Amino acid sequence: MTASPADPSADPVRKEPVAARTARAGRSSAAAFFNEPLAPVIAAVGVVILVVLAIEFSRSAGLVAALWGAGGLAVVVWLRNARGPMYDLCFGSLIAVGVLVGEFLAGNPTSLAIMFTAANMIEIVGAVLLARRFAPSLNLSSVEGTGRFLLSAAVLAPIPAGLFTSAFLSVLNGADFAYSFGTWWLGHAMGIAVIGAFGLAVTRRNLAMIARPMKLLETVLLLALLTAVSTAIFSRLSLPLGFVVLPILLVIAVRLRVLGLTAALLIVTILAVGGSMAGFGPYAVRFQGADRALMAQMLVLLGYLPVLLVASLLEERDRLADRARAGQARAERASEAKSRLLANVAHEVKSPVGGIIGIGELWQTGQLGPITPIQAEMAEMLVKTARQVEALSHDLLDVARAESGAVKVELRPTDVRGVMEDVRRAVALRPESRDLKLELVCLGDGLVALADSQRLAQVVANLASNAVKYGASGGSIVFRASRVDHVVRIEIIDKGPGLSADKQAQLFEPFNRLGLERTTVEGHGIGLALAKRLTELQGGTIGVISQTGEGATFWIELPAA
């Protein structure tokens, strides 16, 4: 007796309920938090230290600190280590405790400590949620990824917390709302943007790039130069060298990309804001108190931080260039494999086709015994078809050789008039050309091109064959040669139906017959592609001029000898 499918216990593939799956995921994320607590604990300790330092040394607008890194540290560690809802809950709780402890250690009363902790958690949670929603890849190696992270986590997330804090301080202590909000938003946005970006930029790939000995030396020298210049500007020296910082940042962006630039921004931010608050630097004379910090914050956010987009753009370009090189390598390997396949197929086809042609000719001439008129006609068809296959195998072999670079050309002065006359006579002997007028026009003297005579004749013959096939309805084909400056131009002109612009774009692609596969016109779409490749091997160019209903002019231009 088998169990009923309605019985969940009897169906091993029945999915567990959503609530059960959610609970199991929550338990696993909570287990991950407690089994690997190193990152959360280090983040919490770092938050405590940064809170104390910010409150002790960077308060500039009443009770609001101008340089706030705790939020940026918490956001980046949270984003890089999140593993589920329970992990988020545990991590958020630990960060909240860290902020609260830091507030108490800095000497804030209980009401202010609780208020600032709540505001910071509103900001941190908001930054994490917005970054997950609008910048889920957390990828700073593209302009879009960097812009999304900065806009969502750094620009938007501090606004609600800043409004809440400023309103609270205004009501409780009579603090200036605008100053409090401006200092809060600028300081916290700067902290998330600078520390958060630096934390996201610290990846194995970026570290491996900088870890190379010469690159590491270059990194140390550039960051040391930036530190020295920034110290000279925002210390007691107060040297008027502010214009030097931006070029140094641009050089760091070009040479060290995102990781080096985010480290540089971190250095500049600390020195600029800290020095300005201490009364040093370009803002010490013109501004007082919180205004100095506000100006330094605006300098970093509006003057220096946009360079991060330059570094992201360069890194994105590097990544796309690597992909392009990899794609080109794959395409070259595929092309080589295709060329080998074409060459092998052509070789395999030539031998049996040659035997078929020989037997067909013996049969057609009666050397294998008496034949009837019908048998003679069939033998003629057999030989004709076999010769078409033989010609195709030769073309395939030529295409494979040309694409693989195996075709060798000997460039020497070549009489273009003679080559074109030989091709015209050969074309005139074909049965399909008996009703066509083939005209040769040579304009001027000096029609001597630097070319391979055999390959040039092959190219002109392919173009003439194409004109006979598709332009025979016009009744005539013109072979024209002329010289313009240092170029000899060869033109094959037909009066056929012409070509539309979209068909001209596909004309020289191998095996592309432009939709004429089902017509009575014979061909395999190889001749023009081969003509293009052989022309390029001789240092020339090839093209077509045509309009629908007005015929076509295929042209070749070769350097004059």
Side-chain angles (χ1 to χ4, degrees), residues 116-399:
F116 278 127
T117 300
N120 276 280
M121 292 311 299
I122 291 173
E123 176 181 286
I124 292 170
V125 172
V128 170
L129 294 178
L130 287 172
R132 288 178 179 174
R133 173 63 180 84
F134 296 104
S137 64
L138 303 178
N139 181 16
L140 299 187
S141 60
S142 71
V143 175
E144 182 181 3
T146 302
R148 284 174 173 267
F149 173 75
L150 293 179
L151 181 61
S152 59
V155 175
L156 298 179
I159 293 176
L163 294 174
F164 169 75
T165 303
S166 301
F168 186 92
L169 293 177
S170 178
V171 173
L172 185 65
N173 297 334
D176 186 283
F177 181 90
Y179 263 138
S180 297
F181 176 77
T183 306
W184 177 283
W185 184 84
L186 286 169
H188 288 239
M190 187 172 58
I192 294 176
V194 174
I195 295 180
F198 175 71
L200 293 180
V202 179
T203 62
R204 291 183 179 180
R205 178 179 178 275
N206 290 339
L207 290 174
M209 181 186 71
I210 290 183
R212 298 193 298 266
M214 293 306 298
K215 182 62 70 173
L216 183 60
L217 177 62
E218 182 181 16
T219 301
V220 172
L221 292 177
L222 285 175
L223 293 181
L225 174 63
L226 178 69
T227 303
V229 171
S230 299
T231 302
I233 297 170
F234 299 104
S235 68
R236 294 183 182 275
L237 297 176
S238 296
L239 298 179
L241 299 175
F243 63 93
V244 179
V245 174
L246 189 58
I248 295 176
L249 289 176
L250 288 173
V251 172
I252 291 174
V254 172
R255 298 299 303 166
L256 307 180
R257 298 297 193 263
V258 172
L259 180 56
L261 184 70
T262 52
L265 288 173
L266 188 60
I267 294 171
V268 171
T269 300
I270 295 172
L271 294 176
V273 178
S276 298
M277 290 178 57
F280 306 124
Y283 307 120
V285 177
R286 296 185 180 181
F287 301 96
Q288 298 295 325
D291 290 343
R292 296 173 179 172
L294 289 174
M295 295 305 298
Q297 291 168 334
M298 293 178 64
L299 173 67
V300 173
L301 285 174
L302 303 180
Y304 299 153
L305 190 62
V307 183
L308 180 58
L309 297 177
V310 177
S312 298
L313 178 62
L314 294 173
E315 198 152 312
E316 184 176 12
R317 186 205 64 176
D318 293 343
R319 190 178 71 254
L320 293 177
D322 291 341
R323 290 181 181 177
R325 283 191 290 269
Q328 181 181 4
R330 289 194 299 269
E332 289 175 352
R333 289 194 297 268
S335 179
E336 292 174 0
K338 180 200 67 176
S339 298
R340 288 195 299 269
L341 175 63
L342 289 177
N344 291 336
V345 169
H347 278 297
E348 292 297 328
V349 168
K350 284 176 62 178
S351 297
V353 167
I356 292 173
I357 292 173
I359 294 172
E361 289 177 340
L362 292 175
W363 181 25
Q364 182 181 5
T365 58
Q367 298 183 46
L368 298 181
I371 59 173
T372 64
I374 296 178
Q375 290 175 333
E377 182 179 357
M378 297 299 294
E380 182 182 359
M381 292 177 59
L382 175 65
V383 172
K384 180 180 179 181
T385 303
R387 289 198 182 280
Q388 291 176 352
V389 176
E390 184 182 41
L392 173 61
S393 67
H394 283 293
D395 287 343
L396 287 174
L397 191 57
D398 284 338
V399 169

Side-chain angles (χ1 to χ4, degrees), residues 405-490:
V407 174
K408 304 300 181 183
V409 295
E410 295 183 8
L411 301 181
R412 60 184 64 182
T414 301
D415 180 15
V416 173
R417 182 194 298 266
V419 171
M420 295 182 68
E421 176 62 22
D422 291 343
V423 174
R424 189 192 68 81
R425 290 178 178 177
V427 172
L429 297 175
R430 298 181 184 178
E432 59 268 26
S433 303
R434 59 179 176 268
D435 296 327
L436 289 175
K437 179 183 178 182
L438 305 179
E439 181 181 1
L440 175 62
V441 178
C442 294
L443 304 177
D445 298 325
L447 299 179
V448 180
L450 191 62
D452 186 307
S453 58
Q454 179 183 356
R455 295 303 179 184
L456 178 58
Q458 186 177 0
V459 171
V460 175
N462 280 341
L463 296 182
S465 176
N466 188 75
V468 170
K469 290 177 184 177
Y470 301 104
S473 59
S476 67
I477 295 175
V478 178
F479 296 73
R480 184 165 67 186
S482 60
R483 175 167 175 166
V484 180
D485 295 331
H486 301 289
V487 173
V488 176
R489 183 180 177 94
I490 300 171

